[in-house]
Amino acid sequence: GENVEQHPSTLSVQEGDSAVIKCTYSDSASNYFPWYKQELGKRPQLIIDIRSNVGEKKDQRIAVTLNKTAKHFSLHITETQPEDSAVYFCAEGGGTSYGKLTFGQGTILTVHP
Amino acid sequence: NAGVTQTPKFQVLKTGQSMTLQCAQDMNHNSMYWYRQDPGMGLRLIYYSASEGTTDKGEVPNGYNVSRLNKREFSLRLESAAPSQTSVYFCASRPVPENQPQHFGDGTRLSIL
């Protein structure tokens, strides 16, 4: 079945630094890769997504890159702020999965002021 | 629009009791999903409904049943609750077409003693 590996499991940075979270997946038919942010006690919320017809997408301080050949994709957050502290989940889906997503295990990001 | 609404928000059960978690969405989405979230495990799919009238098993369906009551509502039932089912349960929905993000409810925090 589908499998998503996410690294690192925890990430601690100073305010203003960049943060990078990486995910690898196994299903070559996957063509949709969203990233969710979850604050403590809250619902997961979509922050950015990418489809397999592009290699990179950017939205202000957040960017995602996709390498379909290597089956990995990454989240990049620049100029981190304390309010970026949360758990981040990658996911993969698409193809014949009927909209199902397989999630990574999550990365706890802590941004120190 | 309320988005995805889950009830109840919190529940404590005794082992062997049954209960139904309710989920409703007002976005006219076709597909709906139930996940459980345990520490360090990410989000794991329990059951999903690709469209009204259909349901399918996800990654961890044992001990659960679902009903897609109509296009808006998708309920999750625990027939005989076990301590291993203590978790946070999230419902999500997704529109057509493919490769669109899932929208999550606020979750139900369930403890089974």
Side-chain angles (χ1 to χ4, degrees):
Chain A
E2 299 87 354
N3 186 46
V4 178
E5 294 289 331
Q6 183 172 343
H7 298 281
S9 56
T10 61
L11 181 58
S12 183
V13 300
Q14 289 296 128
E15 183 176 1
D17 288 350
S18 295
V20 180
I21 303 170
K22 298 181 179 179
C23 290
T24 60
Y25 62 98
S26 59
D27 187 355
S28 57
S30 298
N31 55 15
Y32 178 61
F33 306 91
W35 285 89
Y36 285 83
K37 175 183 180 182
Q38 187 179 29
E39 297 177 349
L40 189 63
K42 300 291 183 64
R43 69 176 79 180
Q45 292 196 297
L46 180 79
I47 55 171
I48 195 167
D49 57 4
I50 191 169
R51 294 165 180 81
S52 61
N53 56 341
V54 297
E56 183 173 0
K57 183 177 179 180
K58 192 172 183 179
D59 182 3
Q60 298 183 352
R61 298 186 295 108
I62 296 172
V64 58
T65 58
L66 171 64
N67 183 327
K68 283 216 74 177
T69 303
K71 295 183 190 173
H72 65 73
F73 56 112
S74 300
L75 177 72
H76 305 253
I77 306 174
T78 58
E79 301 172 25
T80 55
Q81 302 167 1
E83 49 266 38
D84 293 330
S85 297
V87 181
Y88 291 81
F89 292 98
C90 65
E92 59 88 14
T96 57
S97 67
Y98 302 104
K100 291 189 298 179
L101 294 175
T102 300
F103 284 83
Q105 295 85 352
T107 296
I108 302 171
L109 174 64
T110 303
V111 181
H112 299 280
Chain B
N1 284 351
V4 180
T5 302
Q6 291 184 236
T7 55
K9 295 190 185 306
F10 303 93
Q11 185 70 49
V12 178
L13 293 178
K14 294 181 180 178
T15 298
Q17 288 185 316
S18 62
M19 106 160 268
T20 299
L21 280 59
Q22 306 287 351
C23 176
Q25 52 90 11
D26 61 3
M27 298 175 283
N28 202 34
H29 288 174
N30 272 24
S31 301
M32 297 184 73
Y33 309 84
W34 275 106
Y35 295 90
R36 61 177 290 173
Q37 185 175 36
D38 303 297
M41 300 288 288
L43 291 147
R44 293 184 292 169
L45 184 65
I46 304 170
Y47 270 93
Y48 69 101
S49 171
S51 62
E52 186 179 359
T54 68
T55 60
D56 283 288
K57 296 178 180 179
E59 182 185 353
V60 288
N62 291 346
Y64 305 94
N65 284 300
V66 290
S67 295
R68 184 73 184 268
L69 303 170
N70 47 54
K71 190 170 186 179
R72 290 187 63 248
E73 298 172 288
F74 188 38
S75 62
L76 178 72
R77 182 160 179 84
L78 287 71
E79 289 291 350
S80 179
S84 60
Q85 294 177 303
T86 293
S87 189
V88 180
Y89 291 85
F90 285 99
C91 177
S93 68
R94 185 189 67 86
V96 176
E98 278 287 327
N99 297 346
Q100 296 296 319
Q102 293 182 15
H103 301 259
F104 285 83
D106 286 333
T108 294
R109 285 149 184 80
L110 183 61
S111 293
I112 299 158
L113 307 177

